[in-house]
Amino acid sequence: MAGVTAATAHRRRAHGASASRPWGVAPTALLLLGAIYCLFPVFWVLIAATKSPGELFSTSTLSFGTGFFDNVAELFAYRDGVFWLWAANTLIYAGGGALLSTAVSAVSGYALAKYRFPGRNAIFNLLIGGILVPAVVLAIPQYLLFSEIGLADSHWAVLLPQILHPYGIYLARVYAAAAIPDSLLEAGRIDGAGEWHLMSRVALPLMVPGMVTIFLFQFVAIWNNFLLPFIMLGDDGKFPLTVGLYTLLAAGANQPALYNLILTGALLSIVPLIALFLTMQRYWKTDLSSGAVK
């Protein structure tokens, strides 16, 4: 009797698993479709960048070409290597802006999470409201402000607006509240540590994974930013890659040979982002406060 009951229960479990399996496959299928949707343009750019000018419009869309290295050489030689200047500008904007934004976000988020002071909730609610404001809305007012103080068409006009980022401060505040135990700070105060020492030696090391996340978000956002530098800058010697490649695209209407340079430049412009993610992902840890309290 017990054997029959066990067999029946087994059949029921198997039937239930088989009945629920289609629903279990659906999320995986949706994720797979999303991955294809996101990665197919990158795959197409990779293929198109390998084609020579003659192959770009005459061969199959998904067939590789033979002109990749020639395209790279022509891109690097175009206008005495202006691509390298655009890449250096982009690195300054993205690297400098992301570092400064991460520092400001981390300190501000820590203060909002661990200190009680009048107006704290009002400031945090204002930050939440700032997240909802599209950057497009602020571009023209920022241009007018920088024009008034004489910083338009300068590197600072692109760099400074990126430093204060409401979403980064919000992430830092939420992360600091979860990752830094109040008991750890109180123990430091009892041992005589000052507030600056607590922040720099205790809080910020625990916030490293969160700071890396903020840095990556900001770096990618600034690296891909087009509208702000397009409005702020008039000298193509200060252009980032996004605006520089756009000028090539506009010129390509009269010079079709430039299309190969545009595609090659677009492919090379995403390589640093991939390398950055692969390099910095090791900083994402699950046990954030491991070893903090002995």
Side-chain angles (χ1 to χ4, degrees):
M1 185 66 181
V4 174
T5 304
T8 303
H10 177 74
R11 283 196 298 270
R12 287 177 179 174
R13 286 195 298 268
H15 177 73
S18 63
S20 62
R21 188 172 296 126
W23 295 105
V25 172
T28 303
L30 289 176
L31 289 175
L32 182 61
L33 288 176
I36 294 174
Y37 177 81
C38 295
L39 295 178
F40 182 78
V42 179
F43 181 65
W44 179 83
V45 169
L46 173 63
I47 293 176
T50 65
K51 297 182 179 182
S52 64
E55 296 171 333
L56 184 60
F57 298 105
S58 61
T59 59
S60 174
T61 302
L62 297 180
S63 63
F64 286 90
T66 59
F68 176 72
F69 294 103
D70 292 336
N71 293 338
V72 172
E74 291 179 17
L75 176 65
F76 291 166
Y78 179 74
R79 288 181 52 192
D80 299 325
V82 71
F83 178 83
W84 289 108
L85 180 59
W86 293 340
N89 291 335
T90 307
L91 185 61
I92 292 172
Y93 298 143
L99 282 174
L100 292 174
S101 179
T102 301
V104 171
S105 297
V107 174
S108 303
Y110 169 73
L112 289 172
K114 295 301 176 181
Y115 291 101
R116 306 291 184 268
F117 54 88
R120 186 185 73 148
N121 291 331
I123 293 174
F124 184 69
N125 292 332
L126 185 63
L127 288 173
I128 297 297
I131 296 174
L132 303 178
V133 178
V136 176
V137 176
L138 301 177
I140 299 299
Q142 287 172 344
Y143 172 76
L144 296 176
L145 288 174
F146 280 104
S147 296
E148 287 293 327
I149 60 177
L151 289 180
D153 196 20
S154 69
H155 290 88
W156 291 109
V158 179
L159 188 61
L160 290 178
Q162 313 288 348
I163 295 177
L164 186 62
H165 192 249
Y167 187 62
I169 297 176
Y170 168 76
L171 286 180
R173 192 258 190 188
V174 173
Y175 196 90
I180 305 173
D182 291 335
S183 59
L184 188 63
L185 299 178
E186 290 300 325
R189 293 188 181 101
I190 292 173
D191 289 340
E195 297 301 324
W196 172 258
H197 185 85
L198 286 174
M199 184 185 69
S200 60
R201 297 296 181 88
V202 178
L204 292 184
L206 290 175
M207 293 178 64
V208 166
M211 292 167 62
V212 169
T213 302
I214 296 170
F215 176 84
L216 287 175
F217 282 166
Q218 274 297 87
F219 189 93
V220 173
I222 300 172
W223 187 278
N224 293 327
N225 193 5
F226 171 78
L227 183 63
L228 183 66
F230 181 73
I231 292 175
M232 290 290 187
L233 303 176
D235 181 6
D236 65 353
K238 300 183 180 73
F239 285 170
L241 284 171
T242 50
V243 182
L245 292 176
Y246 171 78
T247 61
L248 282 180
L249 180 63
N254 299 319
Q255 304 177 55
L258 292 178
Y259 286 132
N260 292 80
L261 305 189
I262 298 166
L263 292 168
T264 306
L267 176 63
L268 295 180
S269 68
I270 66 175
V271 172
L273 298 181
I274 296 174
L276 183 67
F277 269 93
L278 294 178
T279 301
M280 303 194 73
Q281 67 178 352
R282 64 189 179 91
Y283 289 100
W284 284 320
K285 302 174 183 178
T286 55
D287 190 9
L288 301 178
S289 58
S290 163
V293 181
K294 298 295 185 182

